[in-house]
Structures are given as structure tokens and as C-alpha cells.
């Protein structure tokens, strides 16, 4: 019996595979006539027809959900899909179509990194001077973090750091002041403080030359005008500067409730002032909610509601803020977010429902700013 079993095993090994059994080969041809370069993001989008993009939008519920974040008052992780990404030189017709279909458009690298760096440095230095941030810097925190790691974790961390060295050197060359940019880690006093850092009323900080040069950059004017039909635009002088610390977030809302009196087409540009991961409290949007039938009654009722005197939490949609996952369980919609980098900008309209994820870091401050753009009315 043992011999028969051995013979059977040898026969199986010698038996050639049928075409159905052969796994797909990962090898690529070296023949220049058959090999093709991977198309860029804008090239892929430019090949899509309007119907294809509509189908892609309609099948959003089948998208992979790579991000697990805490959001709203919900304590269990919320699974988010990745935002669609566009290049600054993408065809304007496709950008407008994305904005019309999904309600938002994420443009990677629209703003110069050095401008973001200067604006971020100016804000952090002021907060350091006021005692909001620690003067120890991130290096001390990293050192204490390394002590708590095991040998294997330290090895993995060192390997990752080596891969990031070249990228870090490029970032440092963008601005000579990078070396003395304060850490974004909060001081112990502010870690114990329950109140918000409160940058919304710091308009004098938003008007600092380094900051205003970023928030009113010519590329923002140009892109806003292109997205709204190619006409001239104006930006509201008030800037929604935000500093979000551990455990804080912005609840689910649509900007329309804050701008009931605005009669002209309006866009919001959300600008991360530095690298913002989903865990640090980045923007999350609910695509299609500016026009889908499932949210029509909510747009009619909530959209006509009056915002309270605080102008902040009183504008939140309470049910979705309490449980953001209701969008998926009730309507089959998924929240979208991204790992934002300096220079990225997200544009969206006043009826799109959005929020921020919760800052789940231990002591870091998330910096961002919202700017509003209105199409200039025709003088005629």
C-alpha cells in the first residue's frame, strides 16, 4: 500500500498541468512592441467616458475600504474608502464632471510645498510662543517611543526610516527654515485642557503674510474659477483656520446651513497645513449626497435649519454625527478619506455632507484651513 501511494504521488508530480490549472504568470514581456508603460492618473481619467464615470460612481459601495478610523461620537472604527485623486493638469471637463457626480475633487500637489511649509511654520511658532505646543520637539517623543519598542519593532522602524531618508532630504531643501519648525505636539497644560485650541477666531494669524500667501494663492483663484465655469471668483475674507487636538473632530454637516444668505455659486477649498493622515483627523466626505435621492428629504429639512450662535456644533447633523456608519447601513454609501500631503487641496460644494475623522493621536495638533470661493456676479 505504501508503494502504491508513492507511485501515485510521483505520477501526480509528472503529470503536466492543463491550461486551466496554470496560474497567471506575473512576468512581463521585455519586447518594446508589446510592453506598455503604466498610464498616469490623468491619462486613465481622460479615457473614461461620462457613462463609465457614472457607473464607477454608482458602484462606490463595492470599493475597497482601506481606512479604519474613529469618527463622530461612534467609538467603533469606521471603514472608509479612498478618495479619487486628480492631478492639477487634468482636463477641466473631467474635474467638473467629478465635482458634479461625486460632489468633491481632490487635487494632489496643487499648491507649492514651500508655501505650505512657511504657513505651517508661522502658525506653529506662534502657538509655541503662547505655550500651546511643547518646546521639546518631536525628537524627544520619538526617543521615548523607541524605548518602549522591542528589538524587532525597532528594526522595522529603522528600515522604514532609511527608505524615507531621501524623501525627507527633499522636503528639507524646499525651505531653509524647516530645521527650526516647532513640533506640532501639545504641551502638557493643553493636553489636560478640555477646551479647543480655537484658531477659528484667530483671524490676525490667518492674515499673517506667510499664511495669507498660501490661503489666497493664485493657483486657488485659478482652479476655483475653472471649476465654476471659467469666470472670475472672489474669496471670502474670513478664513476658517482649525487646530484639532486629541479626541476632537468636526461633525457631519453640509456648508449650506452656514451660508443661507449666499445667492451665488460657492465652493469650499479644504487645505491641510502639513501632512494629515486619517488618524490625525483628516477630511471625510460622503460622495453623491449633494444630489442623490436618498438624501433629498435630509437636504430639505436639515438644509433649511438655522445655525445657532456658536456657528459650529449647532450646524451638525446630529444623527449621522452620532453614528456615521448609518450612511452605509441605511443607504449603501461609504465615507471617503485620504492620507493628505502638503500641497493637496479638496474642493467641494455647499450641499455635500462631510466631516473630519477624530484625531486619535496622543498629543499632536492637526492644522487645516477652509476657504470659500464665490463666483463673481455678472455686472450686467
Amino acid at each position: 500500500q505504501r508503494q502504491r501511494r508513492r507511485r501515485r504521488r510521483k505520477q501526480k508530480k509528472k503529470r503536466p498541468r492543463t491550461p486551466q490549472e496554470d496560474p497567471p504568470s506575473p512576468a512581463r514581456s521585455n519586447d518594446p512592441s508589446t510592453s506598455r508603460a503604466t498610464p498616469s492618473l490623468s491619462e486613465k481619467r481622460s479615457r473614461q467616458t461620462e457613462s463609465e464615470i457614472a457607473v464607477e460612481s454608482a458602484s462606490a459601495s463595492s470599493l475597497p475600504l482601506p481606512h479604519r478610523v474613529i469618527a463622530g461620537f461612534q467609538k467603533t472604527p469606521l471603514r472608509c474608502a479612498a478618495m479619487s485623486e486628480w492631478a492639477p493638469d487634468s482636463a477641466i471637463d473631467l474635474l467638473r464632471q467629478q465635482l458634479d457626480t461625486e460632489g468633491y475633487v481632490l487635487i494632489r500637489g496643487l499648491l507649492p510645498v514651500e508655501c505650505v511649509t512657511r504657513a505651517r511654520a508661522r502658525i506653529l511658532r506662534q502657538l509655541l510662543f503662547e505655550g500651546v505646543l511643547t518646546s521639546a520637539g518631536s525628537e524627544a517623543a520619538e526617543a521615548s517611543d523607541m524605548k518602549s519598542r522591542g528589538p524587532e519593532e525597532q528594526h522595522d522602524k529603522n528600515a522604514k526610516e532609511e527608505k524615507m531618508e531621501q524623501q525627507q532630504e527633499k522636503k528639507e531643501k524646499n525651505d531653509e527654515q524647516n530645521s527650526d519648525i516647532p513640533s506640532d505636539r501639545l504641551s502638557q497644560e493643553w493636553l489636560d485642557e478640555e477646551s479647543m485650541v480655537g484658531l477659528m477666531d484667530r483671524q490676525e494669524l490667518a492674515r499673517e503674510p506667510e499664511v495669507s500667501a498660501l490661503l489666497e494663492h493664485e493657483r486657488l483663484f485659478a482652479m476655483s474659477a475653472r471649476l465654476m465655469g471659467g469666470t472670475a471668483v472672489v474669496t471670502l475674507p474670513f478664513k476658517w483656520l482649525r487646530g484639532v487636538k486629541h479626541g476632537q473632530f468636526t461633525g457631519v454637516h453640509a456648508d449650506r446651513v452656514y451660508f443661507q444668505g449666499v445667492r451665488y455659486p460657492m465652493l469650499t477649498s479644504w487645505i491641510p497645513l502639513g501632512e494629515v493622515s486619517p488618524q490625525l483627523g483628516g477630511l471625510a466626505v460622503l460622495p453623491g449626497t449633494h444630489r442623490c435621492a436618498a438624501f433629498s428629504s435630509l437636504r430639505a429639512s436639515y438644509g433649511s435649519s438655522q445655525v445657532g450662535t456658536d456657528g459650529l456644533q449647532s450646524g451638525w447633523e446630529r444623527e449621522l454625527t452620532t453614528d456615521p456608519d448609518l450612511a452605509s447601513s441605511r443607504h449603501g454609501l461609504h465615507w471617503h478619506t485620504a492620507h493628505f500631503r502638503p500641497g493637496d487641496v479638496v474642493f467641494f460644494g455647499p450641499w455635500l455632507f462631510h466631516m473630519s475623522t477624530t484625531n486619535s493621536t496622543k498629543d499632536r495638533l492637526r492644522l487645516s484651513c477652509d476657504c470659500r470661493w464665490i463666483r463673481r456676479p455678472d455686472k450686467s
Side-chain angles (χ1 to χ4, degrees):
Q1 289 178 350
R2 290 196 189 97
Q3 290 175 351
R4 281 198 297 270
R5 283 197 292 269
R6 290 194 192 99
R7 282 196 295 270
R8 286 196 210 101
R9 283 197 293 268
K10 289 181 180 179
Q11 289 173 356
K12 286 182 180 179
K13 290 181 180 179
K14 293 179 180 179
R15 182 170 59 89
R17 288 181 173 177
T18 62
Q20 290 80 9
E21 290 176 317
D22 285 333
S25 174
R28 298 179 63 180
S29 173
N30 294 324
D31 185 356
S33 63
T34 59
S35 61
R36 296 179 61 188
T38 303
S40 65
L41 180 62
S42 57
E43 287 175 339
K44 289 180 181 178
R45 286 289 184 176
S46 63
R47 295 172 188 171
Q48 289 181 302
T49 64
E50 182 175 351
S51 59
E52 286 173 336
I53 293 179
V55 169
E56 181 182 274
S57 174
S59 61
S61 59
S62 63
L63 290 172
L65 307 176
H67 303 292
R68 295 179 64 85
V69 297
I70 301 297
F73 295 111
Q74 181 176 299
K75 298 304 179 185
T76 56
L78 176 70
R79 300 185 67 193
C80 297
M83 284 185 175
S84 301
E85 302 178 4
W86 297 81
D89 60 350
S90 299
I92 189 58
D93 290 342
L94 294 176
L95 294 179
R96 289 178 189 163
Q97 189 172 331
Q98 162 75 15
L99 188 62
D100 180 62
T101 304
E102 299 286 326
Y104 79 94
V105 56
L106 163 60
I107 302 180
R108 294 285 194 186
L110 176 64
L111 295 170
V113 175
E114 57 271 20
C115 289
V116 181
T117 302
R118 283 194 288 267
R120 175 179 174 82
R122 180 64 188 90
I123 296 171
L124 290 178
R125 288 194 190 102
Q126 183 63 34
L127 295 179
L128 176 63
F129 174 77
E130 296 172 4
V132 177
L133 302 176
T134 178
S135 58
S138 58
E139 292 80 10
E142 279 295 318
S144 62
D145 183 55
M146 285 293 288
K147 290 180 181 178
S148 63
R149 296 172 180 266
E152 294 182 0
E153 293 180 0
Q154 290 187 20
H155 176 74
D156 293 341
K157 184 174 179 61
N158 290 334
K160 292 179 181 178
E161 287 177 348
E162 289 177 3
K163 292 179 181 179
M164 295 175 64
E165 273 186 20
Q166 293 181 347
Q167 296 178 354
Q168 186 63 30
E169 288 177 2
K170 291 180 181 179
K171 289 181 181 179
E172 290 176 355
K173 289 179 181 179
N174 287 330
D175 196 325
E176 293 179 357
Q177 296 177 333
N178 270 6
S179 57
D180 62 345
I181 294 179
S183 165
D184 61 4
R185 298 182 185 274
L186 292 163
S187 63
Q188 190 59 48
E189 180 183 355
W190 275 89
L191 285 174
D192 299 335
E193 180 68 38
E194 293 183 1
S195 62
M196 300 175 64
V197 173
L199 296 181
M200 196 85 74
D201 58 354
R202 300 292 303 272
Q203 290 303 293
E204 80 285 355
L205 194 53
R207 287 192 292 269
E208 286 291 330
E210 301 92 335
V211 182
S212 62
L214 173 71
L215 303 182
E216 297 189 357
H217 197 279
E218 60 182 6
R219 294 184 186 180
L220 291 173
F221 276 95
M223 184 56 71
S224 300
R226 294 176 67 205
L227 291 173
M228 287 196 281
T231 59
V233 297
V234 295
T235 182
L236 297 184
F238 190 93
K239 307 301 178 186
W240 284 257
L241 196 61
R242 302 179 191 271
V244 181
K245 65 179 190 178
H246 171 78
Q248 295 179 346
F249 61 91
T250 300
V252 179
H253 68 283
D255 288 351
R256 175 63 181 175
V257 297
Y258 298 102
F259 298 94
Q260 298 282 5
V262 176
R263 300 180 180 179
Y264 301 102
M266 185 183 77
L267 281 179
T268 293
S269 62
W270 184 84
I271 306 170
L273 301 179
E275 188 168 352
V276 176
S277 68
Q279 290 70 35
L280 189 57
L283 176 70
V285 300
L286 201 53
T289 49
H290 64 304
R291 59 183 292 180
C292 67
F295 272 66
S296 58
S297 60
L298 184 59
R299 290 194 299 270
S301 57
Y302 163 79
S304 61
S305 62
Q306 296 296 318
V307 177
T309 56
D310 71 340
L312 296 171
Q313 292 193 22
S314 59
W316 294 358
E317 204 293 314
R318 303 303 297 181
E319 190 175 27
L320 282 172
T321 299
T322 301
D323 184 6
D325 205 31
L326 287 175
S328 175
S329 59
R330 286 185 180 178
H331 308 295
L333 302 174
H334 289 299
W335 291 95
H336 288 207
T337 189
H339 190 120
F340 301 101
R341 299 185 292 270
D344 295 346
V345 181
V346 183
F347 291 92
F348 54 91
W351 281 111
L352 181 73
F353 283 83
H354 60 282
M355 63 176 178
S356 80
T357 61
T358 302
N359 184 344
S360 56
T361 64
K362 188 174 87 170
D363 57 358
R364 293 186 60 201
L365 184 70
R366 186 264 282 173
L367 294 176
S368 67
C369 190
D370 306 348
C371 301
R372 266 76 197 197
W373 307 85
I374 299 176
R375 189 165 67 191
R376 183 178 294 171
D378 189 351
K379 294 182 180 179
S380 62

